[in-house]
Amino acid sequence: MSTTAVTVRVPAKVNVRLAVGAARPDGFHDLANVFLAVSLYDEITVTPADTLRITCSGPDADQVPLDATNLAARAAVRLAERHGVAPGVHIHIAKDIPVAGGMAGGSADGAGALLACDALWRTGASREELLEICAELGSDVPFSLVGGAALGTGRGERLTPLEVGGTFHWVFAVADGGLSTPAVYAEFDRLTAGADVPAPAASPALLDALRTGDAGALAGALANDLQPAALSLRPSLAGTLAAGTAAGALAGLVSGSGPTTAFLVKDEEAAHTVAGALLASGTCRTARPAMSPAPGATLLGR
Ligand code: C5P
């Protein structure tokens, strides 16, 4: 029987440490980026079609580009080119990850479409080749494929897996509208102009907290060098951060380039309390409890 549909589930991420170095000659920044995959997922379903076509469903579907710029489309085209396959495929994205929120939703769709097309077309790409294509697509895409927890160096695409000794509970406060990642990095450059930006590094305390599964210790070690830039572009996020910590979160920070804010909480019960308080505060559009680590891109069936 020929394959008619393949579905892949891909997680969102939060950066528990995003250390940003000075701008490089190519415009990117060297990072020490500690990624943690979280249990908010997009599902990518691919089916054979005459031409490449993308559709998207979910509450924020209208904000997702359905043209060739979508990372899912770019992933399919890259894989097809490398293997001499016609990229005739219908890619459907069932979107649950906040759009342009700093949670790697676009990257997740790129990694998901790549894995799904590889299965649909039986191209049999090796893990190394898939990771190479992911790195070509974007700095966060390799992590979406791999999931779990990892340290990303270079521009974030060179991954070293990290051990996680327990389950961490989070609440993600989703803001109205997105923030452009290049704009946030440009604001980082503006805010640090003339300053001596140190080489990025992950702290031993943070890596220990992950290894031991100690939420209290992780709360003390969370840090995002892009946070001042995101707050500068979106000052209202300070109110969201204050509301989450006032509601009992162990700590809060901007997720990646924002504007989603992430709150680490003690347990599942605290997640529901903090999510309710964040919603009631009126400082965010929605508040989503989630857990980490979560697995990377996973084939669900065909
Ligand atoms: O790699 P990706 O396409 O996700 O990057 C989007 C933008 O974010 C880049 O064009 C760049 O402006 C910025 N960026 C950066 N340094 C990184 C990763 C991303 O400056 N390490």
Side-chain angles (χ1 to χ4, degrees):
M1 200 177 74
S2 69
T3 299
T4 54
V6 177
T7 298
V8 170
R9 193 179 76 159
V10 204
K13 60 84 183 164
V14 63
N15 307 94
V16 288
R17 173 74 180 114
L18 180 44
V20 183
R24 314 189 309 201
D26 65 2
F28 284 89
H29 297 70
D30 273 324
L31 305 179
N33 193 354
V34 181
F35 293 101
L36 199 52
V38 302
S39 61
L40 300 179
Y41 301 97
D42 282 358
E43 281 187 13
I44 318 300
T45 299
V46 296
T47 46
D50 291 340
T51 54
L52 178 59
R53 186 165 79 89
I54 301 194
T55 53
C56 185
S57 60
D60 297 336
D62 58 336
Q63 297 166 48
V64 175
L66 301 178
D67 59 13
T69 63
N70 189 301
L71 280 176
R74 291 174 49 203
V77 168
R78 292 262 167 148
L79 183 71
E81 277 170 5
R82 279 178 177 241
H83 290 268
V85 176
V89 64
H90 171 203
I91 303 173
H92 181 74
I93 302 168
K95 177 143 287 292
D96 195 41
I97 303 175
V99 178
M103 298 194 73
S107 299
D109 300 343
L114 185 64
L115 195 63
C117 287
D118 180 55
L120 183 73
W121 297 333
R122 302 182 195 278
T123 34
S126 65
R127 193 75 173 166
E128 288 67 35
E129 186 185 358
L130 293 177
L131 283 169
E132 201 180 300
I133 299 174
C134 286
E136 288 169 13
L137 294 170
S139 308
D140 289 348
V141 186
F143 180 72
S144 298
L145 188 72
V146 169
L151 170 65
T153 53
R155 58 186 171 83
E157 86 287 15
R158 288 207 303 263
L159 298 178
T160 308
L162 295 173
E163 206 185 312
V164 182
T167 301
F168 295 105
H169 295 268
W170 299 89
V171 177
F172 293 94
V174 182
D176 264 324
L179 267 180
S180 138
T181 302
V184 174
Y185 274 101
E187 183 67 1
F188 172 88
D189 290 341
R190 195 183 70 78
L191 294 175
T192 56
D196 191 17
V197 180
S203 75
L206 177 102
L207 300 180
D208 272 355
L210 285 178
R211 194 165 42 240
T212 56
D214 183 336
L218 183 61
L222 292 176
N224 178 0
D225 290 354
L226 292 181
Q227 182 159 314
L231 284 171
S232 167
L233 296 177
R234 192 70 70 83
S236 61
L237 293 181
T240 319
L241 288 169
T245 39
L250 300 171
L253 87 173
V254 170
S255 179
S257 56
T260 303
T261 43
F263 297 91
L264 183 62
V265 294
K266 173 163 113 284
D267 53 24
E268 205 170 342
E269 195 186 326
H272 286 288
T273 308
V274 170
L278 276 164
L279 267 182
S281 75
T283 60
C284 60
R285 180 159 60 88
T286 143
R288 311 276 314 270
M291 290 184 290
S292 62
T298 306
L299 280 169
L300 292 187
R302 25 178 91 190

